[in-house]
């Protein structure tokens, strides 16, 4: 079944947590999508809070079916200086499909997830579910949530639904082929054969844009032999086309170049645990540069072995990137009207975003009053540099200006950040969608050209934007950036 009914009384016990990051003042919440169901008290100034709180609530709504990937998220927050400034620390989660089937879930040391597993941080919890018989009302002394009154987008998975590490009682339930992995990968890079000439060669292993390993360089060899091994812990969700890339590289004093690449799909690790491979390394011109002999083993395992390097698929970073973005935001047509009196006063902000959070704003248009067909013809020059998550995206966020009130978002146009860099930007007329991914109203016309910058100081006339604190300063120094 792809949908689940969850009508009944839920009891959540938040017992304790340990080794939380950032010197927190923690409290915990249970949520279903973006709907908060219950909340603990705040424990002041400790990474090892003990709540020992048991909270009950009822879910009702006959005929309401939740997606198979929906989950009750158990979230840990650190109290901020204001009610709206709490810091999200991480979550564990309980799939509703498991709760409806077994009526309980518990873990005394559940891993906590926030874009990746937070090493050492755990949550001690228990969740129980008591179905309500048809026609029976829930007790009057507990909160009641009628799921039929909420849009499905509000009940959609939010923080970690779909991730496999949700406690011993539920672990692995969502580990379907092509979706999740958790375990140790051991790779042996043996040799290359069939090279056209004797080069100085090495093999570079990547996952997404993250470099995992490089062999030593074998000089002047027609058939180089490495016999090198790499072992790492792999964890997270992936798509069916996600692959470990093995690039046969030619070493050079100026720069290294890829002769050819073989991609090993991660989905094969779920089909078989041991692979002995002799595979072609294919060049960009679709010719075979040589054949790589590899051995790949996968051992399913929950939890990273101590001292082993970990690669979290949700947190795979791209290489450091720097370059110019020439923005030209022309117009939008037939956008949604957010005003009850008059028409929308639209403007656009362009953000680098990831994990449903706006991280860095790049440019902003003026607002245009009282129109559903704004023409901005906004130009801007931005020099961007940083290290980005593969899951990050550049988003054109359309707002309705509300005077001194907070602006209302009317829709977005987004593009994956890696595709944006590799394809040289984004140009054209694009349909506007809503924040939850559903269909919106209208179109947006933009021309934004990205030009990669390889060395030297940033060009004159461009606003410099540093994206986050993940920028590799050693890389910047090596490339002679003007600090």
């Amino acid at each position: 079944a792809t949908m689940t009914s969850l009508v009944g009384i839920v009891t959540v016990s938040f017992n304790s947590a340990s080794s939380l990051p950032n010197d927190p003042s923690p409290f915990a919440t249970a949520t279903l999508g973006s709907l908060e169901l219950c909340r603990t008290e705040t424990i002041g100034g400790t990474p090892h809070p003990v709540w020992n709180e048991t909270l009950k609530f009822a879910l009702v709504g006959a005929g309401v079916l939740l997606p198979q990937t929906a989950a009750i998220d158990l979230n840990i927050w650190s109290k901020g200086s204001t009610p709206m400034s709490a810091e999200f620390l991480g979550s564990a989660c309980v799939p509703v499909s498991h709760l409806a089937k077994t009526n309980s879930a518990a873990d005394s040391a559940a891993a906590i997830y926030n874009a990746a597993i937070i090493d050492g941080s755990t949550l001690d919890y228990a969740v129980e579910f008591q179905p309500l018989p048809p026609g029976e009302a829930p007790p009057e002394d507990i909160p009641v949530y009628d799921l039929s009154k909420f849009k499905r987008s509000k009940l959609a998975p939010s923080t970690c639904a779909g991730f496999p590490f949700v406690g011993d009682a539920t672990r692995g339930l969502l580990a379907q082929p092509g979706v999740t992995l958790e375990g140790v990968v051991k790779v042996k890079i043996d040799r290359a054969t069939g090279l056209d000439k004797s080069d100085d060669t090495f093999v570079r292993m990547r996952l997404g844009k993250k470099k995992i390993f490089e062999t030593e360089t074998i000089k002047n060899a027609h058939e180089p032999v490495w016999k090198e091994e790499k072992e790492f812990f792999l964890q997270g969700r992936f798509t069916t086309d996600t692959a470990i890339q093995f690039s046969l590289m030619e070493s050079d004093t100026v720069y290294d170049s890829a002769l050819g690449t073989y991609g090993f799909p991660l989905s094969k690790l779920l089909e078989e645990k041991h692979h002995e491979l002799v595979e072609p390394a294919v060049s960009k011109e679709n010719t075979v540069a040589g054949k790589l002999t590899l051995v790949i083993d996968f051992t399913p395992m929950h939890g990273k072995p101590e001292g082993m390097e970990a690669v979290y698929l949700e947190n795979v970073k791209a290489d450091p990137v720097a370059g110019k973005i020439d923005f030209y935001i022309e117009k939008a047509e037939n956008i949604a009207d957010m005003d009850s009196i008059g028409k929308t006063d639209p403007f656009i902000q362009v953000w680098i975003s990831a994990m449903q959070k706006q991280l860095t704003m790049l440019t902003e248009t003026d607002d245009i009053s009282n129109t559903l067909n704004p023409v901005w013809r906004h130009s801007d020059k931005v020099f961007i540099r940083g290290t980005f998550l593969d899951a990050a995206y550049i988003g054109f966020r359309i707002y309705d200006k509300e005077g001194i009130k907070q602006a209302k978002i009317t829709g977005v146009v987004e593009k994956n950040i890696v595709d944006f860099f590799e394809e040289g930007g984004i140009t054209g007329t694009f349909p506007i969608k809503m924040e939850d991914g559903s269909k919106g109203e209208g179109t947006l016309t933009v021309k934004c050209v990205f030009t990669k910058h390889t060395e030297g100081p940033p060009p004159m006339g461009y606003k410099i934007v540093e994206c986050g604190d993940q920028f590799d300063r050693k890389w910047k120094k090596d490339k002679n950036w003007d600090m």
Side-chain angles (χ1 to χ4, degrees):
T2 58
M3 306 292 280
T4 302
S5 175
L6 196 71
V7 175
I9 299 171
V10 180
T11 303
V12 179
S13 296
F14 288 105
N15 300 320
S16 63
S18 64
S19 302
L20 300 179
N22 304 339
D23 192 24
S25 294
F27 64 93
T29 65
T31 56
L32 180 61
S34 59
L35 173 63
E36 184 174 313
L37 304 168
C38 62
R39 177 185 294 225
T40 69
E41 297 292 328
T42 299
I43 307 294
T46 175
H48 310 288
V50 177
W51 294 288
N52 286 333
E53 289 192 45
T54 298
L55 307 168
K56 287 188 178 184
F57 53 88
L59 301 176
V60 300
V64 176
L65 296 177
L66 299 171
Q68 185 79 356
T69 54
I72 292 179
D73 292 344
L74 306 176
N75 314 294
I76 302 177
W77 301 80
S78 180
K79 182 179 180 181
S81 56
T82 69
M84 299 300 292
S85 63
E87 177 188 5
F88 175 67
L89 301 179
S91 292
C93 60
V94 178
V96 297
S97 56
H98 173 80
L99 203 55
K101 182 178 180 181
T102 66
N103 296 341
S104 66
D107 196 332
S108 60
I112 296 173
Y113 162 78
N114 182 359
I117 281 289
I118 304 172
D119 286 341
S121 297
T122 61
L123 174 65
D124 181 351
Y125 75 88
V127 180
E128 295 182 356
F129 173 65
Q130 179 184 345
L132 273 177
E136 182 175 321
E140 295 182 357
D141 59 346
I142 63 174
V144 178
Y145 300 95
D146 186 347
L147 300 184
S148 66
K149 295 183 179 180
F150 297 98
K151 294 181 179 180
R152 179 173 293 181
S153 60
K154 188 174 181 66
L155 305 178
S158 55
T159 53
C160 66
F163 222 69
F165 23 83
V166 288
D168 290 327
T170 53
R171 186 172 296 125
L173 286 173
L174 302 176
Q176 302 168 1
V179 178
T180 60
L181 270 179
E182 185 178 18
V184 173
V185 179
K186 184 176 181 180
V187 177
K188 179 180 179 181
I189 301 174
D190 188 71
R191 66 186 65 210
T193 57
L195 276 64
D196 289 339
K197 57 181 181 177
S198 297
D199 290 318
D200 297 344
T201 53
F202 65 95
V203 175
R204 175 177 293 161
M205 182 169 63
R206 291 178 176 269
L207 188 53
K209 294 294 180 179
K210 179 180 176 61
K211 183 173 71 176
I212 299 174
F213 177 66
E214 285 183 356
T215 66
E216 293 184 357
T217 299
I218 305 296
K219 295 184 177 295
N220 195 32
H222 188 66
E223 295 192 348
V225 177
W226 294 282
K227 293 188 179 296
E228 294 190 41
E229 295 183 353
K230 174 64 176 178
E231 196 171 35
F232 60 95
F233 180 70
L234 181 65
Q235 190 174 60
R237 303 178 68 186
F238 64 95
T239 58
T240 54
D241 59 352
T242 304
I244 301 175
Q245 304 290 334
F246 296 89
S247 295
L248 182 60
M249 306 292 296
E250 180 182 7
S251 180
D252 191 272
T253 55
V254 179
Y255 62 90
D256 302 324
S257 58
L259 301 174
T261 299
Y262 163 67
F264 176 80
L266 288 184
S267 56
K268 288 188 175 182
L269 296 181
L270 292 170
E271 298 167 3
E272 295 182 18
K273 303 300 184 287
H274 178 75
H275 300 264
E276 296 183 9
L277 307 167
V278 180
E279 297 289 346
V282 180
S283 70
K284 291 183 178 180
E285 292 75 30
N286 205 31
T287 60
V288 176
K291 291 189 174 182
L292 290 170
T293 300
L294 310 165
V295 178
I296 302 175
D297 290 290
F298 177 63
T299 304
M301 183 181 302
H302 174 67
K304 181 177 75 72
E306 186 175 354
M308 181 175 290
E309 178 185 351
V311 176
Y312 300 115
L313 292 169
E314 271 76 0
N315 203 26
V316 171
K317 299 187 183 86
D319 286 337
V321 172
K324 304 182 300 181
I325 303 178
D326 291 280
F327 284 102
Y328 180 67
I329 301 173
E330 184 179 357
K331 64 181 180 179
E333 295 181 314
N334 302 318
I335 64 175
D337 190 355
M338 304 299 289
D339 285 352
S340 56
I341 301 176
K343 294 180 180 179
T344 294
D345 305 321
F347 67 96
I348 285 181
Q349 292 179 344
V350 183
W351 288 81
I352 299 291
S353 304
M355 306 304 170
Q356 300 179 352
K357 296 180 180 179
Q358 282 70 61
L359 303 178
T360 305
M361 189 171 75
L362 303 180
T363 189
E364 180 178 17
T365 71
D366 293 330
D367 61 275
I368 299 180
S369 298
N370 199 34
T371 180
L372 303 182
N373 298 284
V375 178
W376 293 285
R377 296 193 179 100
H378 169 82
S379 297
D380 201 0
K381 295 178 178 293
V382 176
F383 183 82
I384 186 174
R385 55 190 180 191
T387 304
F388 304 87
L389 301 174
D390 269 6
Y393 51 90
I394 185 168
F396 297 78
R397 301 173 62 83
I398 306 168
Y399 292 94
D400 173 23
K401 185 179 180 182
E402 288 291 307
I404 61 173
K405 299 179 181 178
Q406 185 176 3
K408 300 176 184 176
I409 186 163
T410 66
V412 295
V413 171
E414 296 172 337
K415 188 176 182 68
N416 175 267
I417 195 69
V418 176
D419 293 339
F420 180 83
F421 292 145
E422 291 184 349
E423 296 173 15
I426 176 173
T427 297
T429 299
F430 303 92
I432 296 168
K433 64 181 182 178
M434 304 306 293
E435 268 198 302
D436 62 5
S438 61
K439 184 179 179 180
E441 296 182 30
T443 60
L444 175 67
T445 300
V446 298
K447 181 179 180 180
C448 298
V449 178
F450 172 76
T451 306
K452 190 172 182 179
H453 192 79
T454 56
E455 62 181 353
M460 297 293 291
Y462 283 78
K463 175 178 65 178
I464 299 175
V465 176
E466 299 274 10
C467 290
D469 58 3
Q470 301 178 64
F471 187 71
D472 187 336
R473 292 189 176 275
K474 180 180 182 299
W475 181 81
K476 180 191 290 187
K477 181 178 179 180
D478 289 346
K479 294 296 182 180
N480 299 314
W481 293 117
D482 180 9
M483 296 293 288

